[in-house]
Amino acid sequence: MVTTTTPPIRNSRRAKNASRPGDRVFLGLSKGSGITLLVIMAAIAGFLTYRAVLAISKDSTNFFTTFEWNPAGVPPVFGIAVLAFGTIVSSIIAMAIAVPVAIGIALFISHYAPRKLAKPLAYVVDLLAAVPSIIYGLWGAIFLVPYLDGLNKWLNEYFAWTYIFDKASDGVARNLFTVGILLAIMILPIITNVTREVFLQVPQMQEEAALALGATRWEVIRMSVLPFGRSGIISASMLGLGRALGETMAVAVVLSPSFILSGHILDPGGGTFAQNIAAKFNEADAFGRDALIASGLVLFVITLLVNGAARWIIGRRKEYSGANA
């Protein structure tokens, strides 16, 4: 019996392609881009850490638990308790409103709307993502705040027993609840666009197979579309959350800043990291700017943790899906 061996044509082609000048250049550029990004991130973190240490070392109180911001005082007194609370609460409100609505809009555009309606609607959603933050802020201050006053009174009347909707002080609706609604409107196009593109990538054969087995349109979405797009929904939500955490101008225009920590989200006042930096940076001296940079470092760390958690969740979902497959 004679056996013949065929040369590894495929491997030889890969080796030949890898040795081409264009491939080597592309590989070098790819590695260089990744390394450059890491260097930039490390440089930002190093700068923020250095300036933050200079400020925190002179803070006469606890930086993480103090409810006051007065770096120019003698001695300096400043802390991020109110800012951290306001940033997290307003972002949670925004996500609770925006994510379900964005998923619904994405499903409507990708699976329910006629093509003649889906394309214009998708175009309008894309345009909303391009509106500048200051425009949202002006619209929120002039239009949204007056019209939300009635909603605040209604929530206080019927849901004050929940504590968070108990309005303990009078005033217009320049509060964390209004900021959360405004942020939800701002991040809605981002989450919708990414989620819609993920839903459009669902294999057509999976949907047709489910329909052939007698599934309804909703059952197809529940069994095929949503499981396939779960990691994409998480990624889109984290993009929106990053926008909500770092939003500056819109929040600065709408919110009445104060350093009173209150669990009543309908009470006027509150603050966020980005809003406080934008409001106080120009009037601050050198030490005051270091204090603001220290608060920016905390926001930087929170953003990194949020994105890291999102990547971990997506990775776990992929491992789980691969194990089931």
Side-chain angles (χ1 to χ4, degrees):
M1 182 177 180
V2 179
T3 59
T4 59
T5 58
T6 57
I9 299 175
R10 184 175 298 177
N11 293 336
S12 63
R13 287 179 178 176
R14 289 179 179 175
K16 183 178 179 180
N17 291 338
S19 63
R20 290 177 180 176
D23 292 330
R24 292 196 299 269
V25 171
F26 181 76
L27 179 61
L29 291 175
S30 300
K31 289 183 178 179
S33 300
I35 294 173
T36 301
L37 177 61
L38 293 176
V39 170
I40 293 174
M41 293 291 293
I44 294 174
F47 168 78
L48 294 176
T49 302
Y50 172 72
R51 298 291 292 269
V53 169
L54 293 178
I56 295 175
S57 62
K58 299 179 182 178
D59 189 5
S60 60
T61 58
N62 191 308
F63 178 68
F64 296 100
T65 59
T66 301
F67 296 171
E68 186 178 352
W69 190 271
N70 186 21
V74 182
V77 177
F78 57 93
I80 62 166
V82 175
L83 303 179
F85 177 81
T87 300
I88 294 173
V89 168
S90 60
S91 299
I92 290 175
I93 296 172
M95 294 294 290
I97 297 173
V99 172
V101 176
I103 294 174
I105 295 174
L107 286 173
F108 178 75
I109 294 175
S110 61
H111 287 80
Y112 283 97
R115 183 172 299 180
K116 292 183 179 180
L117 177 62
K119 288 186 176 180
L121 184 58
Y123 181 70
V124 170
V125 175
D126 292 339
L127 286 179
L128 289 176
V131 176
S133 299
I134 188 64
I135 303 301
Y136 279 110
L138 292 174
W139 174 80
I142 297 174
F143 179 84
L144 191 61
V145 170
Y147 279 90
L148 283 181
D149 187 59
L151 176 61
N152 286 358
K153 293 179 180 178
W154 182 81
L155 290 173
N156 178 56
E157 182 177 356
Y158 292 100
F159 295 95
W161 55 271
T162 62
Y163 180 79
I164 60 174
F165 292 123
D166 182 14
K167 191 173 183 180
S169 59
D170 296 330
V172 294
R174 293 181 177 271
N175 47 43
L176 293 178
F177 182 66
T178 302
V179 170
I181 294 176
L182 181 62
L183 291 176
I185 297 172
M186 296 179 67
I187 67 177
L188 183 65
I190 300 173
I191 303 175
T192 302
N193 290 340
V194 178
T195 306
R196 181 193 71 213
E197 295 301 322
V198 172
F199 288 161
L200 291 174
Q201 300 302 318
V202 178
Q204 193 69 23
M205 293 183 62
Q206 292 187 12
E207 299 185 32
E208 292 176 353
L211 290 173
L213 292 174
T216 63
R217 180 66 63 88
W218 163 242
E219 289 173 338
V220 171
I221 292 174
R222 182 172 57 87
M223 294 185 298
S224 299
V225 178
L226 293 179
F228 179 88
R230 187 172 287 115
S231 61
I233 294 173
I234 296 173
S235 300
S237 301
M238 292 305 104
L239 283 175
L241 179 58
R243 173 75 184 273
L245 289 171
E247 180 53 44
T248 304
M249 295 309 301
V251 179
V253 173
V254 171
L255 188 63
S256 296
S258 71
F259 275 83
I260 300 175
L261 185 62
S262 174
H264 308 292
I265 62 174
L266 299 182
D267 289 343
T272 66
F273 286 112
Q275 170 267 330
N276 186 61
I277 293 172
K280 300 185 181 305
F281 192 83
N282 285 335
E283 62 186 24
D285 55 13
F287 178 75
R289 293 182 179 180
D290 287 343
L292 293 173
I293 290 174
S295 66
L297 175 62
V298 177
L299 179 60
F300 181 78
V301 172
I302 292 175
T303 305
L304 289 181
L305 292 176
V306 167
N307 284 276
R311 295 304 308 168
W312 180 78
I313 294 172
I314 294 172
R316 289 294 300 272
R317 291 300 310 175
K318 290 182 177 178
E319 292 177 3
Y320 178 76
S321 299
N324 288 342

